[in-house]
Amino acid sequence: VKNRKFCLTINVDKIIGAAGEGYYEAAKNGGGKAPIIDLVSLGYFKLLGNGQIDVPLIVKAKYFSKLAEKKIVAAGGACVLVA
């Protein structure tokens, strides 16, 4: 990799759309089970905090901004760091 500092980012309000169909319904009607979204497998490495989230999600990424982590935890989800 030539540029090791380049990392694709995505905002909190776009992660459900990037994950695909059915994630929002699964999170809303999960009954205590939050779906897992792996951003690294989708090609994104950093999650930024722009936007709102109202459903619990477990998000895997290499980097999280403080605001994004705060919003996900406030919605009932979790942030998992991936190496």
Side-chain angles (χ1 to χ4, degrees):
V1 177
K2 285 187 175 183
N3 189 353
R4 293 188 181 268
K5 293 186 180 185
F6 178 75
C7 95
L8 290 172
T9 61
I10 190 168
N11 286 313
V12 168
D13 58 349
K14 306 288 184 197
I15 57 175
I16 293 180
E21 296 287 325
Y23 277 93
Y24 185 76
E25 289 80 17
K28 201 166 195 176
N29 304 326
K33 293 184 178 180
I36 300 171
I37 298 176
D38 189 2
L39 293 180
V40 177
S41 68
L42 296 173
Y44 299 101
F45 299 110
K46 185 171 185 177
L47 182 64
L48 302 176
N50 190 18
Q52 297 293 326
I53 187 168
D54 58 350
V55 293
L57 296 171
I58 299 172
V59 183
K60 294 182 178 182
K62 287 190 175 192
Y63 307 105
F64 294 93
S65 69
K66 289 180 184 179
L67 186 59
E69 187 172 358
K70 181 180 169 185
K71 287 182 180 182
I72 290 174
V73 171
C79 299
V80 179
L81 291 175
V82 177

